Amino acid sequence: MALLPIITAPDPRLEAVSTPVEAVTDEVRQQLDDMLETMYAAPGIGLAAIQVGIQKRMLVIDVSREGEDKQPLYIINPEFTWLSDDDKVYEEGCLSLPEQYAEVARPAEVKIEYLDYHGEKKEMQADGLLAVCLQHEMDHLDGILFVDHLSALKRNMILRKLLKQKRLAEAG
Ligand code: GNR
Ligand code: NI
């Protein structure tokens, strides 16, 4: 197990479209294990592979609450098979946009197909926070960040703040 550094915006790697996983090998499982450990340590409720520089269509999620049993999900090559017509607004954050939050409207319920940790084909229906998180993570696989759902004004405000933070950090 290993903690992986999380890439923060602005960074062109976060805009890359990730590539489908061809086979769920031990190497892929090792990467998923490291991603989960990195997500718990952050802490976060989801992490897409591209956020740690792995350009593969896979992600980990755990929306269980503190004190409850952990419920890790390993999701590979996910595809939406259904999106509800009704939207829900949720205040989102992102480990790649540290300390930035904004309300985003997305379909309230989704159904997806994906491969699990063992490479088996699965289906899942989700609502609530899990539906938000799935859509947020699946956006990452296509190089989309939650700020891309905001007005250009709000998006640029957040991205400029992050650029400034990065410049300050680099200057030491
Ligand atoms: O930890 C996270 N919390 C969160 C809160 C609201 C909506 C989405 C998220 S996902 C985020 C972790 C992350 O950046 N995943 O890509
Ligand atoms: Ni994110």
Side-chain angles (χ1 to χ4, degrees), residues 13-25:
R13 287 172 290 180
L14 294 172
E15 290 166 34
V17 176
S18 293
T19 306
V21 175
E22 285 199 11
V24 183
T25 58

Side-chain angles (χ1 to χ4, degrees), residues 8-156:
T8 58
D11 189 305
R13 287 172 290 180
L14 294 172
E15 290 166 34
V17 176
S18 293
T19 306
V21 175
E22 285 199 11
V24 183
T25 58
D26 285 345
E27 187 201 355
V28 164
R29 276 185 281 270
Q30 179 66 58
Q31 289 175 326
L32 288 165
D33 291 344
D34 290 345
M35 285 167 56
L36 192 73
E37 192 186 0
T38 301
M39 183 195 82
Y40 283 140
I45 59 171
L47 188 75
I50 196 64
Q51 292 179 274
V52 290
I54 301 169
Q55 203 174 330
K56 291 181 184 165
R57 301 188 76 82
M58 58 188 200
L59 55 100
V60 292
I61 289 183
D62 190 336
V63 295
S64 68
R65 293 189 209 172
E66 230 184 289
E68 287 180 358
D69 288 345
K70 286 189 160 65
Q71 287 172 34
L73 290 169
Y74 304 88
I75 294 174
I76 301 165
N77 297 345
E79 300 281 354
F80 293 110
T81 57
W82 176 78
L83 299 167
S84 67
D85 289 329
D86 59 315
D87 282 3
K88 198 170 176 226
V89 174
Y90 196 89
E91 179 162 80
E92 298 197 16
C94 181
L95 295 173
S96 296
L97 304 164
E99 287 157 56
Q100 307 304 315
Y101 303 90
E103 289 192 334
V104 178
R106 303 181 185 270
E109 275 185 79
V110 302
K111 275 192 210 171
I112 65 164
E113 279 184 1
Y114 63 102
L115 301 178
D116 71 7
Y117 192 80
H118 306 288
E120 285 177 33
K121 197 166 169 175
K122 291 280 169 93
E123 279 188 328
M124 183 192 315
Q125 180 156 359
D127 60 14
L129 181 57
L130 181 56
V132 172
C133 194
L134 275 171
Q135 293 174 80
H136 175 115
E137 303 313 334
M138 286 169 73
D139 266 356
H140 276 302
L141 307 185
D142 290 321
I144 295 166
L145 301 172
F146 81 75
V147 290
D148 295 321
H149 294 281
L150 308 177
S151 68
L153 184 74
K154 285 187 188 168
R155 175 169 60 251
N156 289 332

